[in-house]
Structure formats: C-alpha cells, structure tokens
Amino acid sequence: LSPGGESVNLGVEGYGIDQMLLRFERDALPMKPDVAVLAVILDDFGRAEHAVAVTGHAKPRFVSTGSGLALTNVPVPKIDGNRARGVKPGFWTMPWVIPGLAARALAARAPEEPSELSPLHRAILRRFRDGAEGAGGRFLVMLIPVGAEWERNPASRREELARFCREESIALLDLFPILGALPGMDYHGHPPARVHEQIAKTLNGELRRLGWL
C-alpha cells in the first residue's frame, strides 16, 4: 500500500468481528500499526452473535455490558459443531456428494442474521477504534461485498453502518457503490483475485485521500 511501508494481513476466513477483535488485540496492537483496516463483509457482524463459529467449532463470545464488553464462553468448550447447528451427524461430512444441499441445510438451521447494528456490534467497533488510536494509529472499516449481497442489496444495513461510523468518527470505506460501478464486477461468492487488486487500489487511494499514507 505504501512504498517502503509494511502491510500485515491478519485476516482469517470465516471469522466474525468478535474473533477479529481478539486477534487484533493479541497480534496487531503489539506492532503499534500506523493504520488498522478492518475488512469485513456484512455477515461478519452476525457471526459475533453466536458462540459457535461458521466452522462448527465453539468460540469465545462477547456480550455487551453497560460499560463495554465482557468475554464469555471461555475456556472454550469442546462441542459437536454439527449438532450445535442442528445438522444431523454424517450429513455435513459429505459435501463432495451434495455440496449445495448440505450448505442449504446448514443455512436453514443457522440463526437469522441481525438486520441492524446491535449494541454488541457497536461496542466491538468502538473497541477496535479505541485500541488503534490508543496505540498511536488510525482505524478504518472497509466493507466488502460478496456475491450474494449484490442480489440482497442491503442498502439499509450499509446506511446504518455509515451513520454509526460518522457519529463515532470512524473512517468507513464502503466498496459496494465503488465496485458496483466498475465493469466485470458481477462476481459470485467471495471476491476473486482480479477484484482483490481493485480493492487494494481503492484502499490505497482512500488512505492517501485521508492523509494516512
């Protein structure tokens, strides 16, 4: 992103913003980053609501308190992830036979994603910001669309996130309108390599516009 600078990617596939926060505080803050970018999809917010990860494994879970956040479900218990999500044993273990059917069955049994920013989501984003600024850096949220979201057109959720970020003085880069205006961006699922290149260019431009690079 910056000649002579160093970029460290600490992203983990399937993490919610709660797990991202734990890794940020453990691995990123000791580096005292000049800029911390939280790259998320909208589903990452809903994942913070549950004590079971998308992999089916148990995980720590934050709860919102009057004074901030409290971490629960630690030590992390050992559970049967399929049973916890309501999938019959053996069914989810055969994705090579019926991948679409297995995925639909899992999705049908998963709790509904929240339609708005909850107090928990807001508290997590504030803690990201406070951690980055406390380490002498800046904090930016980058919202990345995935294929299914183009069809769902989650304008109200995006607008609520933008409003919250304005109120909390958190920088936000919403890639929905930016990528949507470019040719060849009608991808399905997670962004392919060609879209990653465009995302990196857009992020570079935004950080320079903010004067952070």
Side-chain angles (χ1 to χ4, degrees):
L1 291 174
S2 176
E6 180 182 13
S7 299
V8 179
N9 182 0
L10 295 177
V12 178
E13 184 178 2
Y15 267 17
I17 59 171
D18 55 342
Q19 293 167 287
M20 296 177 191
L21 175 60
L22 289 172
R23 185 158 201 211
F24 172 70
E25 293 181 337
R26 185 192 70 184
D27 298 336
L29 285 184
M31 301 179 192
K32 296 189 181 299
D34 295 314
V35 177
V37 177
L38 177 65
V40 294
I41 64 174
L42 286 172
D43 283 349
D44 293 337
F45 290 89
R47 292 168 182 169
E49 301 286 341
H50 315 304
V52 179
V54 294
T55 58
H57 298 93
K59 66 176 183 66
R61 180 173 182 265
F62 283 110
V63 294
S64 179
T65 67
S67 58
L69 293 168
L71 189 62
T72 66
N73 211 39
V74 288
V76 176
K78 292 183 179 180
I79 64 169
D80 181 332
N82 289 336
R83 187 172 295 122
R85 286 181 171 270
V87 180
K88 293 182 179 179
F91 181 68
W92 183 243
T93 61
M94 300 185 295
W96 59 88
V97 179
I98 40 177
L101 183 59
R104 285 194 294 273
L106 182 61
R109 290 167 171 80
E112 292 185 1
E113 300 296 342
S115 59
E116 59 185 19
L117 282 181
S118 70
L120 174 63
H121 304 151
R122 296 167 186 264
I124 288 174
L125 291 177
R126 290 188 188 103
R127 188 150 141 181
F128 263 113
R129 177 202 60 198
D130 294 346
E133 294 180 354
R138 308 288 185 90
F139 174 60
L140 178 139
V141 176
M142 181 168 67
L143 183 61
I144 303 175
V146 294
E149 291 173 346
W150 292 117
E151 300 174 1
R152 294 202 301 257
N153 189 25
S156 62
R157 294 179 67 188
R158 290 170 42 222
E159 290 169 1
E160 185 176 18
L161 176 62
R163 184 166 56 252
F164 169 78
C165 287
R166 286 194 300 270
E167 293 171 352
E168 296 289 333
S169 299
I170 295 174
L172 172 67
L173 175 58
D174 182 354
L175 292 175
F176 273 82
I178 298 170
L179 295 183
L182 298 175
M185 292 292 126
D186 54 343
Y187 57 87
H188 299 282
H190 286 267
R194 61 185 172 82
V195 179
H196 287 175
E197 294 177 3
Q198 184 60 51
I199 290 173
K201 292 178 182 178
T202 304
L203 176 59
N204 181 286
E206 179 65 8
L207 295 179
R208 291 185 181 282
R209 185 190 71 81
L210 292 169
W212 294 0
L213 286 182

